[in-house]
């Protein structure tokens, strides 16, 4: 990512100086890419800093956590007030806020910039979610705009979203949405294969059709279609255990902190954890199972349609949950994030870019007419046969013993939001019974105890 961002900047007219703690990596980078633009390689932080003109913008691309603090500490002795440090890694937003506050005391400017798009996106145009002060951003915004992906609506996928940790909070939540959508695609694949009996050719055809549709087209479906079109047999050789680097768990933790329900994302994090729980899964092979497979599975094209609708509605709710988390954190932290801008800069370059973001941008923008139309367009997708198919898909999954944690969590979330009553009145009564916690009444103000 760092190497490709450096190449991207050089290709867009910037003088770029690079440093890596491994001299061999610096030498190899210069050998391969040094002629792509004005690129110079250096062997120390002192040389790197001296080669830049104040105010010096320095992009740090290292592993999140202690490594970022270590680089900052080593760089600080060579910097002057007004210089700008940019952390482009997947740092925890709380760490970014701490670094922002700390560096500000010594006159240094700090930007926390979430970068999405993988290695290819970093080179050809990523989405960049920036948190920091306006004067620091103004020093680099022209170059970042040239480097960023197009958003498809005559803009670029980069924006200053707010101060401090705002950019990295948005990137963290972006990754949480990514967890959810990937899990939903995996569950769709599992249903089609294990319940529908689809072979690799049928799966390739299915994901290509979904990828090319106006409602579902997305980067994640593009790569899924590519996997089944070109490398389907490799899946049989890959272990069914998915790793993670922490942003999904951070999203879950942040949602608990801010009191926002994100059940689809939580279920997706749990699904990865369960996939890697080898001893538990080994013991689970002996669990008793009783299945009811009396309802016949519909013909392939009909079953594909059922799963498609289950995926579409669950996917839309995943985006919604992430957006509502950002909205609540923004209110509590007073970051001043424009929610329409968040959705806009996700429309190109990033891993979760999708056609659904056009409707969501309207629904969370500032134009009242577009907001109303956007929300109406979203609600229309949940009506009639699509919702019935969503429910049917989960019946088929349950009756065949196929786990669908993310799809199931999405439907439960939908039903909880639309229900006139929920059973938490009983929980209030139980808490009052065993703990004297009291309860509230519908028709009378105050707290009561029985």
């Amino acid at each position: 990512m760092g190497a490709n961002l450096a190449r991207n900047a050089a290709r867009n007219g910037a003088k770029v100086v690079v440093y890596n703690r491994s001299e061999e990596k610096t030498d190899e980078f210069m050998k391969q890419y040094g002629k792509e633009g004005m690129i110079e390689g250096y062997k120390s932080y002192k040389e790197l800093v001296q080669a830049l003109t104040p105010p010096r913008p320095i992009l740090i691309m290292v592993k999140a956590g202690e490594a970022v603090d270590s680089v900052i500490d080593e760089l600080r002795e060579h910097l002057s007030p007004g210089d700008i440090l940019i952390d482009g890694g997947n740092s925890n937003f709380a760490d970014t806020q701490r670094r922002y506050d700390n560096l500000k005391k010594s006159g240094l400017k700090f930007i926390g910039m979430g970068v999405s798009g993988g290695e290819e996106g970093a080179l050809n145009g990523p989405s960049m979610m920036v948190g920091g002060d306006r004067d620091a951003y103004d020093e680099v915004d022209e170059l970042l705009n040239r480097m960023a992906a197009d958003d498809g609506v005559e803009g670029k996928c980069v924006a200053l979203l707010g101060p401090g940790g705002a950019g990295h909070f948005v990137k963290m939540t972006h990754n949480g949405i990514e967890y959810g959508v990937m899990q939903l695609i995996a569950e769709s694949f599992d249903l089609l294969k294990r319940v529908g009996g689809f072979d690799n050719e049928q799966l390739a055809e299915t994901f290509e059709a979904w990828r090319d549709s106006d409602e579902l087209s997305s980067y994640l479906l593009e790569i899924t279609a590519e996997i089944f079109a070109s490398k389907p047999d490799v899946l049989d050789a890959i272990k069914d255990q998915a790793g993670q680097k922490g942003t999904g768990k951070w999203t879950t933790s942040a949602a608990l902190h801010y009191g926002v329900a994100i059940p689809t994302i939580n279920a997706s994090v749990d699904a990865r954890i369960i996939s890697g729980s080898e001893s538990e899964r080994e013991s689970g092979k002996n669990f008793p199972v009783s299945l009811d497979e009396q309802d016949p599975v519909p013909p392939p094209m009909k079953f594909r349609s059922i799963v498609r609708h289950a995926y579409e509605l669950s996917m839309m709710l995943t985006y919604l949950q992430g957006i509502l988390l950002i909205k609540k954190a923004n209110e509590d932290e007073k970051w001043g994030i424009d929610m329409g801008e968040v959705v806009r800069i996700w429309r190109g370059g990033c891993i979760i870019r999708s056609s659904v973001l056009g409707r969501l941008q309207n629904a969370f923008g500032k134009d009242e007419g577009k907001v109303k139309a956007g929300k109406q367009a979203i609600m229309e997708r949940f009506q009639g046969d699509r919702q019935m198919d969503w429910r049917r898909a989960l019946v088929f999954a349950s009756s065949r013993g196929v786990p669908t944690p993310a799809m199931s969590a999405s439907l439960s979330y939908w039903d909880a939001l639309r229900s006139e009553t929920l059973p938490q009145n009983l929980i209030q009564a139980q808490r009052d019974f065993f703990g004297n916690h009291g309860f509230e009444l519908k028709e009378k103000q105050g707290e009561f105890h029985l």
Side-chain angles (χ1 to χ4, degrees):
M1 290 281 287
N4 281 355
L5 283 171
R7 295 169 63 196
N8 186 338
R11 289 177 176 186
N12 280 285
K15 173 191 173 184
V16 177
V17 299
V18 298
Y19 165 83
N20 188 288
R21 62 183 179 179
S22 166
E23 289 189 17
E24 291 78 9
K25 288 188 177 181
T26 303
D27 291 340
E28 183 62 26
F29 175 85
M30 292 303 300
K31 181 180 177 181
Q32 289 193 51
Y33 309 117
K35 295 182 179 179
E36 290 190 355
M38 295 182 290
I39 306 177
E40 301 170 1
Y42 291 96
K43 304 298 175 66
S44 71
Y45 286 125
K46 182 178 180 180
E47 292 177 345
L48 177 91
V49 171
Q50 289 177 342
L52 291 169
T53 303
R56 305 174 182 91
I58 301 176
L59 175 63
I60 302 168
M61 292 295 290
V62 298
K63 185 177 180 181
E66 294 180 1
V68 179
D69 290 319
S70 177
V71 171
I72 290 173
D73 288 342
E74 291 186 62
L75 273 169
R76 285 181 75 164
E77 63 181 281
H78 306 292
L79 300 177
S80 305
D83 288 343
I84 306 162
L85 293 177
I86 307 169
D87 176 11
N90 270 335
S91 288
N92 188 301
F93 75 97
D95 288 337
T96 300
Q97 187 65 50
R98 169 178 58 80
R99 292 165 186 144
Y100 169 85
D101 293 335
N102 181 265
L103 290 167
K104 199 168 189 176
K105 295 173 185 175
S106 56
L108 295 173
K109 300 174 182 179
F110 189 69
I111 286 174
M113 183 172 75
V115 181
S116 179
E119 293 184 10
E120 182 181 349
L123 179 63
N124 297 315
S127 171
M128 292 178 278
M129 295 146 259
V130 184
D133 291 332
R134 170 59 64 179
D135 60 344
Y137 181 70
D138 285 346
E139 294 288 341
V140 294
D141 71 331
E142 182 180 349
L143 175 60
L144 294 180
N145 270 273
R146 292 203 299 266
M147 293 171 62
D150 294 330
D151 65 3
V153 285
E154 300 183 352
K156 303 291 281 190
C157 292
V158 59
L160 176 64
L161 299 174
H168 272 142
F169 189 93
V170 171
K171 175 55 164 59
M172 173 198 73
T173 308
H174 161 288
N175 285 22
I177 295 170
E178 180 183 306
Y179 273 60
V181 176
M182 291 174 73
Q183 177 65 25
L184 289 168
I185 294 173
E187 291 177 15
S188 300
F189 150 63
D190 209 21
L191 281 171
L192 291 167
K193 184 172 184 176
R194 294 172 60 186
V195 178
F198 280 44
D199 59 25
N200 285 336
E201 185 177 343
Q202 290 172 303
L203 288 166
E205 183 186 350
T206 296
F207 288 116
E208 286 170 0
W210 293 6
R211 173 201 64 195
D212 296 336
S213 68
D214 292 337
E215 299 82 12
L216 301 185
S217 63
S218 69
Y219 171 74
L220 285 169
L221 280 177
E222 284 177 22
I223 65 172
T224 303
E226 182 68 19
I227 289 167
F228 281 102
S230 60
K231 303 285 185 183
D233 295 337
V234 77
L235 288 177
D236 294 330
I238 297 176
K239 292 181 72 173
D240 59 348
Q241 299 177 3
Q244 53 184 315
K245 290 188 175 180
T247 45
K249 290 185 284 188
W250 294 347
T251 309
T252 291
S253 178
L256 291 172
H257 173 76
Y258 290 107
V260 179
I262 55 167
T264 310
I265 296 170
N266 292 341
S268 302
V269 174
D270 282 342
R272 293 199 189 188
I273 293 171
I274 292 172
S275 76
S277 302
E278 294 188 15
S279 60
E280 290 88 344
R281 290 183 64 191
E282 185 61 32
S283 65
K285 293 177 181 178
N286 298 317
F287 290 176
V289 61
S290 299
L291 302 176
D292 180 5
E293 302 180 23
Q294 292 184 0
D295 288 342
V297 178
M301 291 303 291
K302 175 58 179 174
F303 187 67
R304 185 171 98 172
S305 178
I306 289 172
V307 176
R308 171 194 167 121
H309 290 147
Y311 165 72
E312 178 188 358
L313 302 189
S314 299
M315 173 267 294
M316 291 177 70
L317 290 182
T318 307
Y319 282 92
L320 179 65
Q321 290 166 26
I323 290 168
L324 292 178
L325 172 58
I326 296 171
K327 189 171 183 289
K328 180 61 164 60
N330 181 47
E331 292 168 357
D332 287 5
E333 302 295 342
K334 297 178 172 57
W335 281 325
I337 294 175
D338 181 337
M339 296 306 302
E341 274 290 273
V342 170
V343 179
R344 183 190 66 77
I345 64 174
W346 286 348
R347 293 185 66 174
C350 74
I351 302 300
I352 64 170
R353 59 185 185 266
S354 168
S355 59
V356 73
L357 289 167
R359 279 169 275 168
L360 288 169
Q361 184 182 348
N362 288 337
F364 288 91
K366 294 181 177 179
D367 186 310
E368 291 186 8
K370 289 184 177 179
V371 168
K372 183 177 179 180
K375 289 182 177 179
Q376 183 177 345
I378 291 169
M379 287 299 105
E380 286 175 355
R381 303 302 299 175
F382 286 83
Q383 296 176 359
D385 288 342
R386 292 187 193 88
Q387 187 177 136
M388 288 301 299
D389 282 347
W390 191 14
R391 299 182 187 279
R392 290 188 189 105
L394 296 178
V395 170
F396 282 117
S398 177
S399 67
R400 269 71 178 175
V402 176
T404 52
M407 278 188 187
S408 299
S410 300
L411 181 57
S412 291
Y413 176 73
W414 176 264
D415 281 337
L417 291 179
R418 63 152 198 87
S419 292
E420 289 188 16
T421 61
L422 295 171
Q424 276 64 38
N425 52 347
L426 176 57
I427 291 175
Q428 280 212 70
Q430 291 169 331
R431 293 181 73 245
D432 183 54
F433 193 108
F434 67 69
N436 193 21
H437 293 291
F439 52 80
E440 296 176 279
L441 295 173
K442 295 178 181 178
E443 306 294 339
K444 196 172 183 180
Q445 293 292 320
E447 189 173 277
F448 300 88
H449 168 61
L450 278 179

